[in-house]
Structure formats: structure tokens, C-alpha cells
Amino acid sequence: LEAIADHQKFWAKQGIIASNEFVGPTKWTYQVSRHPNYLGELIFYFGLFMAGVPSFGTSVVAWVCSSLGLFGIYSLMVHSSKRLDKKQTEKYRGQEKYDRWTAQVKYPLFPFVRG
């Protein structure tokens, strides 16, 4: 998901040189989440956590360290998406394409969970 979203962003911004006009991707994965690349990152790390769960057994250290790592990446992605939303809103608010996209895609990170 992360790689697909990054690829979509790359193609949407192809040939654009330092513009204040919103041209960001608004299709495919960007119709479900405003930051699908961050969502993909979270899914990846959650998958790593789940893959490791069988090996944790009764080790408190394994559970605590892995849970703290997962919580850390979760916090980083949530705060990054909020910061990017604020930055984009300041820069693009009032532009028809941006306003339409943010009205259509109400979920900054997780589909069906407003942030």
C-alpha cells in the first residue's frame, strides 16, 4: 500500500515545479485515506508485530519492547498525518480541487475513522 501510494503521488506530481496549486493525487488509494502511504507503513509494522507474537511466549520483555515499538510508530504516523494535514490546509485551502478532495475523503489516516 505504501509503495503504491508513493508511486501514485510520484506520477501525479510528475513535471510539477514548485507550485502553490494543489495537484496531489486524489484517486485510487487517496480516495480512501488522505495519507495512504502512512497507513501502509502502519500496516507493515503491525504485520511485523503480529508475526513476532508467537515467539514472545511469556517473555514480558518481548511483549513490552515490541508493544512500545508499535505504539511509537503508530504515534509517529498519526502525528505526521495531522501535521501534514495542517500544512496542506494552510497552503491549499480555497482551491477547488483540494477542498473537493478533503470534503470527499474525510479520513486522514484510517478509513472510516475521523482524525
Side-chain angles (χ1 to χ4, degrees), residues 26-46:
T26 58
K27 304 286 185 212
W28 295 83
T29 59
Y30 287 86
Q31 288 178 311
V32 178
S33 169
R34 287 200 297 264
H35 306 289
N37 45 354
Y38 292 164
L39 177 60
E41 187 88 10
L42 280 173
I43 291 170
F44 172 77
Y45 281 103
F46 182 73

Side-chain angles (χ1 to χ4, degrees), residues 9-24:
K9 184 181 279 189
F10 171 79
W11 282 107
K13 295 188 174 212
Q14 189 73 9
I16 305 298
I17 301 172
S19 173
N20 283 335
E21 180 181 342
F22 179 74
V23 295

